[in-house]
Amino acid sequence: MFLLFCCIWAKTTAAGCISVWPSMTVPFVVDPVIEDDSERIIALDNALAHLSRVTCLSFIQRTKEKNFIIFTELSESLPCWDVLSMKGGEQMVNVGGNCLEPVKLPATVTRIFSDCDLQKVQYLYPCPGILPVRPSNCTSIFNRVNNVAASVVPCETEDPDSCPYPTYRNNTLPVGSACSSACDYSGRLLPLLRSFNPRIGVFDHFYTTDTVTDATMTSNGYDEEDPVGYLGMEGPADAFCTCLRPLFRLFHPVINNHFYTSNETERAGAEALGYKFERIEGYCTSEPACGAYMPLSRFFAPLMSDHLYTTAVEEATVLKNTFSGYGFERVECYLWQYETANRACETLLH
Ligand SMILES: *[C@@H]1O[C@H](CO)[C@@H](O)[C@H](O)[C@H]1NC(C)=O
Ligand SMILES: *[C@@H]1O[C@H](CO)[C@@H](O)[C@H](O)[C@H]1NC(C)=O
Ligand SMILES: *[C@@H]1O[C@H](CO)[C@@H](O)[C@H](O)[C@H]1NC(C)=O
């Protein structure tokens, strides 16, 4: 039992263990049995696009490669999705029967691979700069007989948490150069709470993800306002999202001003001016990606010494177009709109 466990997870270096695909790239062809079935080919495309997007393993159409995969339909008694190891030569991979259910159109959000599956991929094909996670003792879809977990079944929209990995045949979301993922972030998200103290001499907007601090501020004369969005709680490294930035909170006691920045240089500059660093409030993204698509606009009112941050388009428009006293500085970073990272993708794509 121990030996089996070792060999499933050990990498190429350990004797008798599996061979990984060179350059984390899997050349493949699709058997016409699957190719000609429009529902199954969409489901397969979705599955491969998903793996390519959220892991460092990528699938390419085979041209002349000697070692490649043929996605086909094999007997139900044979394992599904045996794609993680390279066997050499033509390698038949079963995606028939229960291995890949036809997509039911119109599908919105579909779940294909579980956290456990992705951990296994990440362990064998670690993304540069991210520590590989040793897969916990979970059962993944790969190389398993009679798998039903790989179905491409539309999720219940009322329960977005049960559908953590939306996949689409076309990923039309804008993902810039710094970020790897359009829809995914693996950390927890918490609301960034907002409050405001209008008293002369204080006049300060305050933002925090910590409910205890928020309660203290509101009991000390700050009025509760609407939360501005969600911040990530884990970072800056993440298995999916490579463009996370810490949002630093600073405070200047003399001018009574809370200031937030995601820029290290600016943070150092503010400290030199007398601002005290308080904490990292959470993580946001440097560009629209990872399910975080709400720009956090930053304003400053020099007369009042107040920084104001908002994701509300109407508020930003009013501040920009009236004599509000606030000048627009920049988009600080991007926040999530929902507590589940990929939920924005549903809305954006449909
Ligand atoms: C790990 O999985 C094996 C095989 O399914 C099982 O026998 C064992 O009890 C599991 N160990 C833990 C710690 O869950
Ligand atoms: C999907 O991608 C193809 C090829 O890029 C394009 O022709 C097609 O219009 C796209 N479909 C949608 C719904 O975006
Ligand atoms: C950070 O701030 C410094 C100083 O204001 C600026 O020169 C630099 O371009 C900023 N970096 C980013 C990534 O915005």
Side-chain angles (χ1 to χ4, degrees):
M1 192 62 219
F2 175 75
L3 189 69
L4 181 67
F5 188 75
C6 147
C7 281
I8 291 170
W9 301 121
K11 299 191 197 178
T12 33
T13 44
C17 293
I18 77 165
S19 280
V20 292
W21 290 96
S23 309
M24 306 196 196
T25 304
V26 186
F28 74 93
V29 296
V30 182
D31 186 323
V33 171
I34 308 284
E35 188 83 58
D36 296 343
D37 176 337
S38 67
E39 293 193 333
R40 278 205 292 180
I41 189 66
I42 289 176
L44 180 63
D45 269 5
N46 271 344
L48 299 182
H50 181 217
L51 276 185
S52 301
R53 185 156 56 77
V54 301
T55 72
C56 279
L57 189 63
S58 54
F59 291 83
I60 56 160
Q61 293 278 353
R62 181 218 178 207
T63 48
K64 289 194 185 120
E65 292 83 359
K66 195 158 75 47
N67 305 317
F68 63 100
I69 273 174
I70 304 174
F71 286 110
T72 184
E73 183 176 299
L74 301 174
S75 145
E76 291 209 354
S77 62
L78 291 169
C80 298
W81 283 102
D82 190 7
V83 292
L84 296 187
S85 64
M86 188 183 78
K87 307 275 168 34
E90 297 180 8
Q91 178 173 337
M92 301 291 215
V93 169
N94 193 7
V95 289
N98 285 332
C99 302
L100 186 72
E101 280 189 11
V103 67
K104 313 253 194 324
L105 295 169
T108 50
V109 176
T110 57
R111 183 192 179 105
I112 299 179
F113 299 102
S114 67
D115 287 348
C116 174
D117 300 328
L118 299 177
Q119 273 177 27
K120 289 183 181 183
V121 178
Q122 171 66 9
Y123 183 66
L124 292 169
Y125 300 91
C127 291
I130 297 171
L131 284 178
V133 187
R134 190 186 172 89
S136 49
N137 200 5
C138 57
T139 312
S140 102
I141 184 176
F142 299 111
N143 203 8
R144 231 181 109 211
V145 178
N146 238 352
N147 204 311
V148 286
S151 61
V152 186
V153 178
C155 270
E156 306 290 322
T157 43
E158 313 87 75
D159 182 14
D161 290 338
S162 69
C163 320
Y165 302 109
T167 54
Y168 303 93
R169 189 175 170 81
N170 277 11
N171 188 345
T172 54
L173 289 170
V175 175
S177 52
C179 221
S180 51
S181 166
C183 306
D184 299 300
Y185 162 62
S186 61
R188 230 170 5 123
L189 296 170
L190 284 182
L192 182 61
L193 306 168
R194 165 172 159 169
S195 57
F196 175 53
N197 190 330
R199 253 180 43 232
I200 306 292
V202 183
F203 208 90
D204 181 41
H205 280 89
F206 179 70
Y207 302 81
T208 186
T209 51
D210 178 42
T211 49
V212 176
T213 312
D214 180 64
T216 310
M217 297 304 271
T218 50
S219 69
N220 287 343
Y222 281 69
D223 301 328
E224 264 178 60
E225 297 192 329
D226 290 340
V228 290
Y230 288 86
L231 280 183
M233 288 300 104
E234 288 89 38
D238 185 80
F240 301 143
C241 185
T242 49
C243 57
L244 292 173
R245 278 197 197 165
L247 186 63
F248 303 110
R249 179 174 101 207
L250 297 105
F251 180 60
H252 198 304
V254 177
I255 58 172
N256 246 309
N257 183 31
H258 282 96
F259 169 59
Y260 301 78
T261 180
S262 58
N263 180 324
E264 303 261 5
T265 316
E266 204 179 33
R267 170 193 157 174
E271 284 177 305
L273 292 173
Y275 280 87
K276 305 261 177 304
F277 170 66
E278 294 193 328
R279 71 172 201 144
I280 290 177
E281 213 47 76
Y283 296 86
C284 48
T285 61
S286 60
E287 58 190 27
C290 309
Y293 288 93
M294 285 204 300
L296 180 67
S297 301
R298 176 172 126 189
F299 291 86
F300 182 55
L303 286 180
M304 300 297 201
S305 296
D306 183 43
H307 277 94
L308 185 159
Y309 299 77
T310 185
T311 51
V313 178
E314 314 78 56
E315 185 180 20
T317 309
V318 168
L319 290 174
K320 281 179 187 171
N321 299 327
T322 60
F323 296 103
S324 62
Y326 285 93
F328 174 71
E329 292 194 325
R330 61 191 173 101
V331 169
E332 190 56 56
C333 57
Y334 295 81
L335 265 52
W336 286 268
Q337 188 177 356
Y338 306 102
E339 196 172 2
T340 310
N342 59 45
R343 192 162 154 211
C345 290
E346 289 174 52
T347 328
L348 284 167
L349 285 179
H350 294 280

